[in-house]
Amino acid sequence: MKKLILASALSLCSFGALAQVAVIVNPSNANALDAETIKKIYLGKAKSFDNGNKVNPATQNGTAIADEFNSKVVGKSSSQLNAYWSKLVFTGKGTPPEKFDSDQAVIDFVAANGDSIGYIDSSKATDKVKVIATF
């Protein structure tokens, strides 16, 4: 019985780790972004969309989906990314993305700002935002 409970718990944990990340923008945003450009935005190396409009990235603070995004898209752990941004801020070379505590907060921010980009759990996407990539 203990083995069955352990196996069930492990299988539930693995489902949580397989969440798909959806990168979202405001529905009025017509820009197309590839994975490399999205990565550059979240590393502060790209500061505008293809059309020249300034990009306003939103990130999540300490959520499982943030860990997935950072790993799959940015190629860094959350702690590595925090250290990266701390260095840029300290040297005056960058401003990190605005942090939010939930998918819904990111959706609300992106829906209200035409120049924004964010990421959420793909199962939480609504018609208030446009999904431009999934990872």
Side-chain angles (χ1 to χ4, degrees), residues 21-25 120 122 125-126 129-134:
V21 179
V23 177
I24 58 172
V25 296
I120 57 171
S122 62
T126 70
V129 294
K130 179 169 67 172
V131 175
I132 59 166
T134 54

Side-chain angles (χ1 to χ4, degrees), residues 32 54 83 102 116 120 122:
K54 183 178 182 263
S102 68
S116 60
I120 57 171
S122 62

Side-chain angles (χ1 to χ4, degrees), residues 83-99:
Y84 171 85
W85 276 109
S86 292
K87 182 179 176 183
L88 287 181
V89 169
F90 181 74
T91 59
K93 294 182 180 175
T95 303
E98 191 161 348
K99 289 187 177 186

